[in-house]
Amino acid sequence: MIELEGVPELVDPVMVAAFEGWNDAGDAASTAVAHLDREWKGEVFAALDAEDYYDFQVNRPTVWMDNGVRKITWPTTRLSVVRVGGDKPRDLVLVRGIEPSMRWRSFCNELLGFAHELGVEMVVVLGALLGDTPHTRPVPVSGVTSDPDLARTMDLEETRYEGPTGIVGILQEACTHAGVPAVSLWAAVPHYVSQPPNPKATLALLNRLEDLLGLRIPLGELPEDARAWQVGVDQLAAEDSEVAEYVQTLEEARDTAELPEASGEAIAREFERYLRRRDPGPGQPPGGHATESGDATYLRDTSSGRTRPPKPIRPEAEPGRPGSPAQPEDPGRPATGRPRADGPGDRSAGPDGGPAKTPDDAAPDTSRTDDDRADDGGPADGPADSGPADGDGPDGPPSSRN
């Protein structure tokens, strides 16, 4: 029995979850939930027992000093609650953690126990995958569900994916069997610049979450960070003619596939978001918003102290990837990209189309710094678990579904 002492009665609560690891390319999803927690000053009310779900040789605890006293932070999943004001106030239950190493069914059942006790009306799980998408275009975000009724009422895609899955897929399926409406939002991250952070993908997820829940999310400096990120990648790509040519190929494929989608409905959706931000409502601070238009002019000065993105990978130099540029598997949907194989957390495609049989959670190489790798002409290694979500299950990326 879960007892929640000190948690107030929630108003129309929705649970929003993201997990670091296999389903979090570029850290886009986990950063989105961290942004919500930071902007709305979330209060942590529960944390799952790390002993039950994590292999500490894979996700190691960290030691830190607090006024001369050594303390340990254990890898875990924490739950916090935030109250969203405005004309129609509601509460969000934020779940942020690391994909568990074991006991996934118990892990999901424990989260569902919290959802039941708090009266959660819907669960939204955020994920990010590596795809054949150009960094110069809007980030594709797909909303999928296993519930046919929910797919109709909320204009979502009903998943038909079959294959390997991560905790995002398992949690969505657990919600479906428990009778809790569940949605997964997937952002496609360019595979050739997959290292975190990716503020543009994070921004796209938050914008889609706004539309899904009818909320106005304060974005803070995220739009500026997204502009700076794109400027930095533009500059780095321009330094290599082969990368620039490859990006142009992806742009042409994307523009051709999405030309029919420049519909009145899409324009109306963007206009509604603009109106929502123009009139924040009582008790809500004004916040910035960055349109996801691919031809926006970005003027952010990357010399102002912002970290420059890692150098894009030349397509023919990428291990496990064909020499010719890949095309989207399904026009209009983010294609599943085959990531680098040079990092311990990266996975190339296996012979059956699924992820290669490589260790998922090897410790990252800390012997060389990002500057060392940049000097070699290659990108910095990402986190050990920033692999793609191209094998995700019941809510898997649309491009991989049959």
Side-chain angles (χ1 to χ4, degrees):
M1 181 66 179
I2 297 175
E3 297 182 2
L4 299 174
E5 298 181 0
V7 179
E9 183 175 352
L10 304 184
V11 179
D12 300 330
V14 173
M15 179 176 283
V16 181
F19 303 95
E20 300 173 16
W22 205 48
N23 303 142
D24 192 24
D27 289 357
S30 59
T31 302
V33 173
H35 177 87
L36 296 175
D37 190 78
R38 181 175 58 254
E39 291 294 326
W40 276 321
K41 297 177 174 58
E43 298 181 4
V44 176
F45 64 87
L48 306 190
D49 189 345
E51 290 279 351
D52 292 338
Y53 304 115
Y54 294 101
D55 180 349
F56 298 139
Q57 289 183 324
V58 174
N59 298 289
R60 293 188 178 274
T62 58
V63 179
W64 55 287
M65 301 295 293
D66 181 17
N67 294 325
V69 179
R70 290 171 62 85
K71 294 187 177 181
I72 298 176
T73 298
W74 297 92
T76 187
T77 294
R78 293 178 173 83
L79 291 84
S80 59
V81 62
V82 298
R83 177 145 294 177
V84 183
D87 295 333
K88 296 180 180 180
R90 78 180 315 165
D91 297 317
L92 298 182
V93 178
L94 304 179
V95 180
R96 183 185 175 211
I98 306 169
E99 183 177 65
S101 306
M102 61 196 78
R103 301 185 183 91
W104 284 19
R105 286 177 292 186
S106 298
F107 181 86
C108 292
N109 287 337
E110 189 164 354
L111 291 180
L112 284 171
F114 283 107
H116 175 73
E117 290 297 319
L118 295 169
V120 167
E121 299 178 350
M122 183 170 65
V123 175
V124 181
V125 192
L126 307 183
L129 60 114
L130 298 180
D132 291 325
T133 180
H135 72 279
T136 55
R137 295 295 183 265
V139 176
V141 178
S142 301
V144 295
T145 180
S146 300
D147 187 334
D149 295 331
L150 199 62
R152 285 193 302 271
T153 57
M154 304 194 74
D155 191 25
L156 301 167
E157 296 182 55
E158 187 178 355
T159 180
R160 289 287 183 268
Y161 172 79
E162 295 177 313
T165 187
I167 193 60
V168 172
I170 297 299
L171 179 57
Q172 178 173 314
E173 193 65 15
C175 290
T176 301
H177 285 293
V180 179
V183 176
S184 295
L185 300 181
W186 288 95
V189 173
H191 69 87
Y192 58 89
V193 58
S194 59
Q195 296 77 25
N198 190 319
K200 187 174 182 180
T202 297
L203 180 62
L205 281 171
L206 292 176
N207 284 340
R208 184 62 186 272
L209 185 65
E210 276 190 328
D211 295 337
L212 183 71
L213 302 182
L215 298 176
R216 178 189 169 279
I217 299 174
L219 299 177
E221 295 184 358
L222 193 56
E224 282 293 297
D225 292 341
R227 295 185 184 107
W229 179 86
Q230 176 153 333
V231 169
V233 177
D234 286 343
Q235 293 173 348
L236 292 172
E239 296 172 0
D240 191 315
S241 60
E242 295 183 8
V243 171
E245 182 179 352
Y246 178 64
V247 171
Q248 183 178 1
T249 302
L250 293 180
E251 291 173 340
E252 293 171 355
R254 173 74 180 276
D255 294 344
T256 301
E258 295 195 346
L259 185 61
E261 295 188 2
S263 62
E265 181 181 351
I267 296 174
R269 187 164 52 245
E270 189 67 25
F271 185 64
E272 288 175 359
R273 186 186 292 126
Y274 164 75
L275 292 178
R276 187 161 59 240
R277 294 205 160 276
R278 185 180 179 186
D279 183 16
Q284 293 193 41
H289 172 70
T291 178
E292 292 183 52
S293 173
D295 54 2
T297 302
Y298 293 146
L299 301 177
R300 179 77 165 186
D301 181 9
T302 56
S303 64
S304 60
R306 299 283 181 187
T307 302
R308 286 168 58 88
K311 187 172 183 178
I313 301 170
R314 296 175 57 175
E316 78 284 355
E318 184 183 354
R321 187 173 186 80
S324 59
Q327 302 299 321
E329 299 173 15
D330 188 358
R333 295 176 178 178
T336 300
R338 289 168 291 277
R340 299 177 298 115
D342 60 341
D346 299 311
R347 297 162 182 82
S348 57
D352 57 353
K357 302 297 187 287
T358 56
D360 287 346
D361 296 296
D365 179 11
T366 58
S367 61
R368 304 171 70 227
T369 65
D370 289 354
D371 292 336
D372 294 333
R373 299 182 186 97
D375 291 340
D376 294 339
D381 286 339
D385 249 332
S386 60
D390 59 340
D392 210 283
D395 68 333
S399 60
S400 302
R401 297 192 300 276
N402 293 334

